Amino acid sequence: AAYAKGRPGEDSAWVEQHPASSCETRVYDDYQEMLEKESLEVVGVCLPFFQNPEASIAAARRGIHVLSEKPAATDLSDLARLEHQVRQSGIQYSIMLNMRTLPIFRAARQAVQQGAIGEPILISSQKSYKYGAKRPWFYRERKTYGGTIPWVGIHALDYMEWVSGQKYTHVAAYEGNKAHSQSPGCEDHAGLLLRLANGGTATCHLDLLRPEAAPTHGDDRLRIAGSEGVLEVWGIEERVRLLGPRGKSGDLPLPPAVDFFTAFVAELRGESQPLVSSVEAFDITRTCLKARDAADTGTWVAL
Amino acid sequence: AAYAKGRPGEDSAWVEQHPASSCETRVYDDYQEMLEKESLEVVGVCLPFFQNPEASIAAARRGIHVLSEKPAATDLSDLARLEHQVRQSGIQYSIMLNMRTLPIFRAARQAVQQGAIGEPILISSQKSYKYGAKRPWFYRERKTYGGTIPWVGIHALDYMEWVSGQKYTHVAAYEGNKAHSQSPGCEDHAGLLLRLANGGTATCHLDLLRPEAAPTHGDDRLRIAGSEGVLEVWGIEERVRLLGPRGKSGDLPLPPAVDFFTAFVAELRGESQPLVSSVEAFDITRTCLKARDAADTGTWVAL
């Protein structure tokens, strides 16, 4: 195995301490050099976000499978080039939508699929994180960070669709930065309004305003009101509560968690279906970038 | 005191049983007749919703103070005529935004005013009601009902502003009817996205999808993320939870409830400021009607 630094001067001492590291693990200053010298089957891509699509394209060109940080790209033209290269190369590509591994979202998805709330009609969600003292330099500008909708909102937009089984058709959005003016590209609040293909509605709100002293980093929530009942997912409490049609209500039992990396390797070996397919990875990234456009332009945008 | 039926055939037997009723209480078939024959100081207006502005105008013309069901009107032209007449007559006018009387919202407003969360940045709210078996005939059509944003959403739009002290500048919305097709004018779900004058964002979702067997009729929620902390109001649990800047968090003590009618009479007697002023009543109604326009047209609408 090999590791390439995000930039030449990076301190990579931690790599040697990593359980996956061995005496044969090579460290490179540059991913291009690593790709040339090593014979790799799969790479994990996690650079400053704007650099992820170029690195993924470089790997794909060599026929190397890619598991990338989300979003797949921070602008639509990079995304189109990446999609083209992944299709051409025939590699397997996925992004780290790791919330799909959580028992709470898996239980909720299964309940919806089993008809526990009838047809999903109104979906709402919350992502709330601490800003954190250690945001790296590339969070400061839109060009390098991409924006809070593609970086944070992508989880909520993904689990709203994945749990409900409903697709978005249009998006309106608004966002801004009021509490962290040193990072103008890192919006600290955003709201999204989406139309669903079945005529239903979705809303989502995001923030990086959670107090630093709060007991958890995040506070994820999902609610789906359907034609027959209401389902709610509470991240901090790790609870999924169902309010069913005939007063039948209570917490759902939770299945075991799935390991994201193990699942990706199983996919590569043909042992299982993708947890996040390349089509899904590109679609949800495109949705986020169009939602960012909707916020930038103050218009509804078709998806 | 006197009571006028909503329509001539109405069964008004309940009026005689009402604690405010006496042997001198007259019952009329028609409010015009009542206004002509009685000498009233104040009327409560609660007709099928589309008829409320006309009845309020008739009372205002005679110099009678009005406490009306919300919304003040179900279209913008009726609202403009009503505003004009109320100003001309110099009467006191208010609408039943009774959520302002609840200890939870009063405590939340006081905490924000005292700076508990710094500057409000991201506001979100939920109104969820049962549809109910007994919706009267006028809920079926937009023309007579007005819509779920003006009827249900008005509470959330009001308490988001009233608690946070922030004003809206623009709104986008989407809504529909999927579970109660017999009442096409009564949307059973809606989502709203609003920009705040300070650059912040608000979202709101409404539904009439709460299962009939649920333990309460409604499930109101309000959350405000500010520059210094997060405040949440839980209607069912009657709790206001503050997550403050230095880990200082917990439930706020609740003040006593206020009686809406008593407060209005105190206002008429000059003993207190209005709980809901006529300007606020007209402004929030206009916001709701414009939000309905935003949903109808699929555009952002300036407020």
Side-chain angles (χ1 to χ4, degrees):
Chain A
Y3 174 85
K5 298 181 181 183
R7 52 187 167 73
E10 182 192 302
D11 178 5
S12 58
W14 67 273
V15 175
E16 287 168 41
Q17 310 303 322
H18 196 277
S21 193
S22 77
C23 55
E24 291 178 25
T25 302
R26 274 87 48 193
V27 172
Y28 293 87
D29 268 348
D30 176 293
Y31 72 79
Q32 294 286 7
E33 191 192 351
M34 177 179 77
L35 292 176
E36 272 163 37
K37 296 193 175 163
E38 297 286 333
S39 173
L40 301 170
E41 284 177 81
V42 51
V43 291
V45 174
C46 181
L47 290 160
F49 308 146
F50 72 113
Q51 295 174 330
N52 286 337
E54 208 58 55
S56 300
I57 287 169
R61 280 208 184 104
R62 289 171 163 86
I64 303 167
H65 304 300
V66 174
L67 179 56
S68 170
E69 253 299 358
K70 36 81 195 172
T74 56
D75 71 49
L76 287 168
S77 67
D78 278 0
L79 182 63
R81 290 193 305 117
L82 173 60
E83 275 191 270
H84 178 74
Q85 191 59 56
V86 166
R87 261 202 311 271
Q88 282 256 319
S89 316
I91 63 152
Q92 275 154 294
Y93 174 92
S94 191
I95 59 175
M96 289 286 295
L97 292 172
N98 56 308
M99 298 234 156
R100 290 195 186 190
T101 67
L102 299 181
I104 45 175
F105 292 112
R106 302 183 77 77
R109 174 173 153 94
Q110 190 178 36
V112 173
Q113 284 176 340
Q114 290 171 347
I117 58 164
E119 183 179 0
I121 296 176
L122 181 68
I123 311 175
S124 50
S125 68
Q126 168 176 301
K127 293 287 301 177
S128 176
Y129 283 155
K130 298 181 188 181
Y131 184 75
K134 290 182 185 170
R135 297 265 159 204
W137 62 273
F138 57 89
Y139 279 76
R140 281 182 216 128
E141 300 296 332
R142 162 73 66 89
K143 197 177 154 57
T144 51
Y145 169 58
T148 297
I149 294 175
W151 173 244
V152 177
I154 194 168
H155 286 300
L157 290 171
D158 181 59
Y159 61 60
M160 288 202 292
E161 269 194 347
W162 189 66
V163 171
S164 72
Q166 302 300 318
K167 293 285 171 193
Y168 312 124
T169 66
H170 295 78
V171 62
Y174 190 62
E175 63 183 3
N177 185 311
K178 286 195 54 79
H180 304 107
S181 54
Q182 75 282 18
S183 288
C186 184
E187 301 86 8
D188 57 23
H189 64 98
L192 296 98
L193 175 63
L194 301 117
R195 303 185 203 174
L196 303 179
N198 74 346
T201 304
T203 65
C204 173
H205 57 266
L206 321 172
D207 69 77
L208 293 171
L209 297 168
R210 190 159 164 76
E212 295 301 320
T216 61
H217 174 58
D219 184 2
D220 276 83
R221 297 182 201 168
L222 170 65
R223 177 181 184 267
I224 308 178
S227 55
E228 306 288 330
V230 177
L231 185 143
E232 293 194 71
V233 177
W234 304 91
I236 294 177
E237 295 84 358
E238 293 184 65
R239 289 179 63 184
V240 182
R241 187 171 167 77
L242 175 68
L243 187 52
R246 280 163 297 279
K248 224 180 69 180
S249 74
D251 281 23
L252 299 183
L254 303 183
V258 169
D259 182 76
F260 201 92
F261 296 97
T262 307
F264 189 63
V265 170
E267 173 193 343
L268 297 183
R269 289 178 173 151
E271 294 166 1
S272 68
Q273 291 299 305
L275 185 57
V276 179
S277 74
S278 61
V279 170
E280 290 176 306
F282 298 136
D283 280 354
I284 197 70
T285 298
R286 192 178 296 107
T287 294
C288 289
L289 297 177
K290 289 191 171 183
R292 194 185 65 182
D293 284 350
D296 287 348
T297 58
T299 57
W300 278 94
V301 171
L303 297 171
Chain B
Y3 175 84
K5 298 180 181 184
R7 53 186 165 74
E10 183 191 301
D11 178 6
S12 58
W14 68 271
V15 175
E16 286 168 40
Q17 310 302 322
H18 196 278
S21 194
S22 77
C23 55
E24 289 177 28
T25 301
R26 273 88 47 192
V27 172
Y28 294 86
D29 269 349
D30 176 291
Y31 73 78
Q32 294 286 6
E33 191 193 349
M34 178 180 76
L35 293 176
E36 272 163 37
K37 295 193 176 162
E38 298 285 333
S39 174
L40 302 170
E41 283 177 83
V42 51
V43 291
V45 173
C46 182
L47 289 160
F49 306 147
F50 72 113
Q51 296 175 329
N52 286 338
E54 207 58 55
S56 299
I57 288 169
R61 280 207 184 105
R62 288 173 165 83
I64 303 167
H65 304 301
V66 173
L67 179 55
S68 170
E69 253 299 356
K70 35 80 194 172
T74 55
D75 71 50
L76 288 167
S77 67
D78 278 0
L79 182 63
R81 290 194 304 120
L82 172 62
E83 276 191 89
H84 178 75
Q85 189 60 56
V86 165
R87 261 201 311 272
Q88 282 256 320
S89 315
I91 62 152
Q92 274 153 296
Y93 174 93
S94 191
I95 59 174
M96 288 287 296
L97 293 172
N98 55 307
M99 298 232 155
R100 290 195 185 188
T101 67
L102 300 181
I104 46 176
F105 292 111
R106 302 182 76 77
R109 174 174 153 94
Q110 191 178 36
V112 173
Q113 285 176 340
Q114 290 171 348
I117 58 165
E119 184 180 359
I121 295 176
L122 181 67
I123 312 174
S124 50
S125 67
Q126 167 176 300
K127 293 287 301 177
S128 176
Y129 283 156
K130 298 181 188 181
Y131 184 75
K134 291 182 186 169
R135 297 265 159 203
W137 62 272
F138 57 89
Y139 280 76
R140 283 184 215 126
E141 300 295 333
R142 162 72 66 88
K143 198 177 154 56
T144 51
Y145 170 56
T148 297
I149 293 174
W151 173 242
V152 176
I154 194 168
H155 286 300
L157 290 170
D158 181 60
Y159 62 59
M160 288 201 293
E161 269 193 348
W162 189 67
V163 171
S164 72
Q166 301 300 318
K167 293 285 171 192
Y168 312 124
T169 67
H170 295 78
V171 61
Y174 190 61
E175 62 183 4
N177 184 312
K178 287 195 54 77
H180 304 107
S181 54
Q182 74 282 19
S183 288
C186 183
E187 301 85 8
D188 56 23
H189 64 99
L192 294 99
L193 175 63
L194 300 118
R195 302 186 205 173
L196 303 179
N198 73 345
T201 303
T203 64
C204 172
H205 57 268
L206 321 172
D207 70 75
L208 292 171
L209 297 168
R210 190 159 164 76
E212 294 301 320
T216 61
H217 174 58
D219 184 3
D220 276 83
R221 298 183 200 166
L222 170 66
R223 177 180 183 268
I224 308 178
S227 56
E228 306 288 330
V230 177
L231 185 142
E232 293 195 71
V233 178
W234 304 90
I236 294 177
E237 295 84 357
E238 293 183 65
R239 290 179 62 184
V240 181
R241 187 170 168 78
L242 175 69
L243 187 53
R246 278 162 298 279
K248 220 180 71 180
S249 74
D251 281 22
L252 300 183
L254 302 183
V258 169
D259 181 77
F260 201 92
F261 295 97
T262 307
F264 189 63
V265 170
E267 174 194 344
L268 297 183
R269 288 179 176 150
E271 294 166 2
S272 69
Q273 290 299 305
L275 184 57
V276 180
S277 74
S278 61
V279 169
E280 290 176 306
F282 297 136
D283 281 354
I284 197 69
T285 298
R286 191 179 298 106
T287 294
C288 289
L289 297 177
K290 289 190 172 183
R292 195 184 65 183
D293 284 351
D296 287 348
T297 59
T299 57
W300 278 94
V301 170
L303 297 170

